[in-house]
Amino acid sequence: MTTSTDPTGQDPAGRDPEGQDPASQEPAGQDGPGQDGPGLPADWRLFHGDGTVRAVDFPPPPPWRRFTPAGPDAAPAARPYLIGPDEADIVNAALHLRRPLLVTGHPGTGKSSLAHAIARELDLGRVLHWPVNSRSTLQDALYQYDAVGRLREAHLRRDTGGAGGAGEGTPDVGADDVGRYIRLGPLGNALVPVERPRVLLIDELDKGDVDLPNDLLTVFEEGEFTVPELVRLTDRGHPVEVQTDDPDRTAPVTRGRVRCRAFPVVVITSNGERDFPPAFLRRCVRLDLPEPDEQRLRAIVEAHLGPDATAGIDDLLAEFLGRRAPGELATDQLLNAVFLRRGGVDLDAGRLLEAVLHQLGGAV
């Protein structure tokens, strides 16, 4: 059986499992295989709970909890991602067909991290991330127009005789300025015409409104959308620069129409909380990521903590596999346990092992 994993199922942009920023959160392995042990001191306790004030030096964090500098040109950190050949073939099918890849699986199987692995391996730049929740709308994912901000500044400039309190050289608020108040969302940004496609991660679509998958159909089929606030400028044939989801970058939009040149690489994740309509499923390529078996777990540990990291962890592996029911434990929990064990921490002391390998289901 082939399995896949970034163990945590997190996105290297830096958020918690299944859709939060991995530059900070996900087992990243920035140091790569063969790195030194975690380097926890013999007395690993930083906090004693006795009220005594101590100035302590924090030890190095696990590789997947190291933060990288932010910025539009910051190179994504290399993070191990293991996937079986069968799963890789399904990814390739979606790439060739220019169809969205719908990725399902239990938490911690690497659904969100797959998007970052594709972007890194194909050198497609920063992943555009749309974390879906119950309030998410297609409009927000395409673009947002700050009409209130534009009106406020217009009034301010009028009241101050055009200076707006910003001094000389500040442009007037007019038709050419509307782009300053329009920001493309992650989906809108992914449809900006570029030579090489961007990677778009639509995270946990099943958490959104029941109509959201159907709302996406036209955009997926046509590869375009319009910005009515710019369409109204019918006498303006020149591009209007609008803000984008990429920090400090703009994109030109002509006559309010955004149409992709290369359809983006769309990765959609779902935890199976809701069924999707057939019309939506017909337009996707399905990939279900299985739970990693023991052999794959050992490979994951070695990829993140070095080739010698699996020495002496047979009992931890057995405990992890014995506790794991489908969806009840995530692979990053095993990595946490191995990291502490390699630092000399006695996981059998008190309730420590139970805290690290706690069940993900049920009430807390």
Side-chain angles (χ1 to χ4, degrees):
M1 177 179 72
T2 57
T3 54
S4 93
T5 14
D6 166 320
T8 68
Q10 298 161 334
D11 72 325
R15 304 169 187 97
D16 281 328
E18 289 308 347
Q20 286 117 13
D21 249 32
S24 57
Q25 305 272 349
E26 147 182 50
Q30 288 97 324
D31 291 343
Q35 64 188 16
D36 294 332
L40 296 174
D43 182 7
W44 68 286
R45 295 175 178 84
L46 305 178
F47 172 74
H48 293 262
D50 57 7
T52 302
V53 177
R54 301 175 178 86
V56 300
D57 293 326
F58 279 73
W64 51 93
R65 292 294 298 169
R66 294 175 186 172
F67 291 76
T68 56
D73 299 315
R79 291 175 173 77
Y81 189 90
L82 305 182
I83 190 171
D86 291 342
E87 289 76 29
D89 285 347
I90 296 174
V91 173
N92 282 300
L95 296 175
H96 281 279
L97 294 171
R98 306 298 199 275
R99 289 290 188 182
L101 181 68
L102 177 58
V103 187
T104 57
H106 295 298
T109 51
K111 299 188 294 295
S112 300
S113 295
L114 177 57
H116 297 275
I118 294 172
R120 181 171 60 252
E121 188 169 322
L122 301 184
D123 194 23
L124 296 178
R126 169 181 169 268
V127 172
L128 299 166
H129 183 212
W130 178 20
V132 176
N133 57 49
S134 60
R135 299 176 300 279
S136 298
T137 65
L138 177 63
Q139 171 70 43
D140 291 338
L142 290 174
Y143 78 97
Q144 295 179 334
Y145 174 50
D146 184 9
V148 174
R150 189 181 184 213
L151 182 62
R152 182 185 299 116
E153 186 164 344
H155 286 166
L156 178 63
R157 290 176 184 274
R158 182 194 62 193
D159 296 342
T160 57
E168 295 182 359
T170 303
D172 292 336
V173 177
D176 291 333
D177 257 6
V178 66
R180 295 168 53 195
Y181 304 93
I182 293 175
R183 179 175 298 277
L184 299 182
L187 176 55
N189 205 153
L191 296 175
V192 169
V194 289
E195 290 298 328
R196 288 170 59 76
R198 296 293 298 271
V199 176
L200 170 66
L201 171 61
I202 303 178
D203 219 358
E204 298 186 332
L205 181 60
D206 53 325
K207 284 183 166 40
D209 184 82
V210 66
D211 292 326
L212 187 56
N214 283 327
D215 293 341
L216 288 167
L217 294 182
T218 300
V219 176
F220 283 168
E221 285 300 294
E222 303 298 332
E224 69 175 18
F225 69 99
T226 58
V227 181
E229 290 80 5
L230 298 181
V231 173
R232 298 187 189 111
L233 305 178
T234 54
D235 59 334
R236 306 274 174 171
H238 61 275
V240 175
E241 293 289 328
V242 302
Q243 308 301 308
T244 70
D245 193 62
D246 289 318
D248 304 320
R249 289 185 176 168
T250 62
V253 178
T254 303
R255 298 192 183 279
R257 183 171 179 243
V258 179
R259 180 178 176 83
C260 66
R261 184 175 301 149
F263 190 77
V265 178
V266 180
V267 177
I268 304 170
T269 71
S270 170
N271 289 321
E273 294 184 7
R274 179 192 301 138
D275 292 333
F276 295 124
F280 175 81
L281 295 176
R282 177 172 69 83
R283 290 165 170 82
C284 298
V285 175
R286 293 284 301 273
L287 170 61
D288 185 66
L289 296 180
E291 300 272 14
D293 59 14
E294 181 176 349
Q295 180 180 2
R296 182 69 66 181
L297 287 172
R298 289 182 179 275
I300 291 168
V301 170
E302 291 179 355
H304 287 283
L305 294 173
D308 61 339
T310 53
I313 67 164
D314 290 353
D315 59 328
L316 283 181
L317 269 173
E319 183 74 20
F320 178 83
L321 292 170
R323 289 169 174 249
R324 185 180 71 178
E328 291 298 317
L329 285 179
T331 310
D332 63 323
Q333 293 175 276
L334 174 64
L335 286 172
N336 292 336
V338 174
F339 179 83
L340 292 174
R341 167 70 66 82
R342 294 183 71 215
V345 176
D346 180 11
L347 289 174
D348 294 326
R351 298 178 295 173
L352 189 54
L353 184 61
E354 187 69 31
V356 174
L357 297 184
H358 61 86
Q359 300 292 313
L360 301 181
V364 176

